[in-house]
Amino acid sequence: MSPKTEAVPAATAAEPDTPAVAAGTNPNYVQLDEPIQRGEQTIKGVTLRKPRAGELRGVQLAQLMMMDVAALQTVLPRISTPTLTAHDVGNLDPADLMELALKVQGFFMTKAERESLPA
C-alpha cells in the first residue's frame, strides 16, 4: 500500500499519544496520568482494540468483567498499542489501570447496550 492509501494513519500507529488521537478522535485511546518510562521511550497513552476470542484464551471472562488485575495483565499486552508488557500493567498507576479496565469492559457490551448509554 502506498502511504496515501494506508488504512491507519502513520501518526496513529507510530505515535498513539499524538494530540489528534488524545483529543478524542479514538474512543479507545487512554491518556495515562503517569506515563510509562521504558528506557528512553515514554508512553503517554495507549490505544486498545477489541479483542478476538483467541486473545481471551486462558482468561475467564468473569475475571475481566470484575477487573481482575491478573486477567488484565494477560489481555492488555495482546490488545494494546504500543504493546504493554505484563510488567508495565503491574506498574500502572491505579487510576490508569482503572481507565484501561473500563475500556476492556466496554468491549463486552452489545451494540444495543452501547446505544442506550447517555451521550
Side-chain angles (χ1 to χ4, degrees):
M1 274 186 185
S2 69
K4 292 182 180 180
T5 60
E6 274 186 24
V8 177
T12 302
E15 302 172 44
D17 56 346
T18 58
V21 175
T25 58
N26 185 341
N28 297 324
Y29 176 82
V30 174
Q31 184 166 345
L32 301 175
D33 285 345
E34 289 190 22
I36 298 169
Q37 191 67 40
R38 249 196 241 153
E40 295 191 19
Q41 179 187 18
T42 300
I43 300 171
K44 297 178 184 176
V46 177
T47 302
L48 300 180
R49 62 177 176 69
K50 189 173 187 174
R52 298 289 187 194
E55 293 163 325
L56 299 171
R57 69 189 179 282
V59 176
Q60 292 182 19
L61 297 182
Q63 290 176 329
L64 276 177
M65 296 306 291
M66 292 187 311
M67 299 183 205
D68 179 75
V69 175
L72 290 166
Q73 282 181 304
T74 301
V75 173
L76 285 174
R78 298 174 183 175
I79 63 170
S80 60
T81 304
T83 303
L84 298 178
T85 64
H87 182 264
D88 292 334
V89 176
N91 286 321
L92 283 171
D93 178 83
D96 292 331
L97 180 62
M98 179 64 81
E99 189 68 27
L100 291 167
L102 289 170
K103 294 289 182 192
V104 171
Q105 274 189 332
F107 293 139
F108 293 93
M109 295 175 68
T110 64
K111 185 176 182 179
E113 289 171 331
R114 283 190 305 272
E115 290 173 354
S116 71
L117 291 174

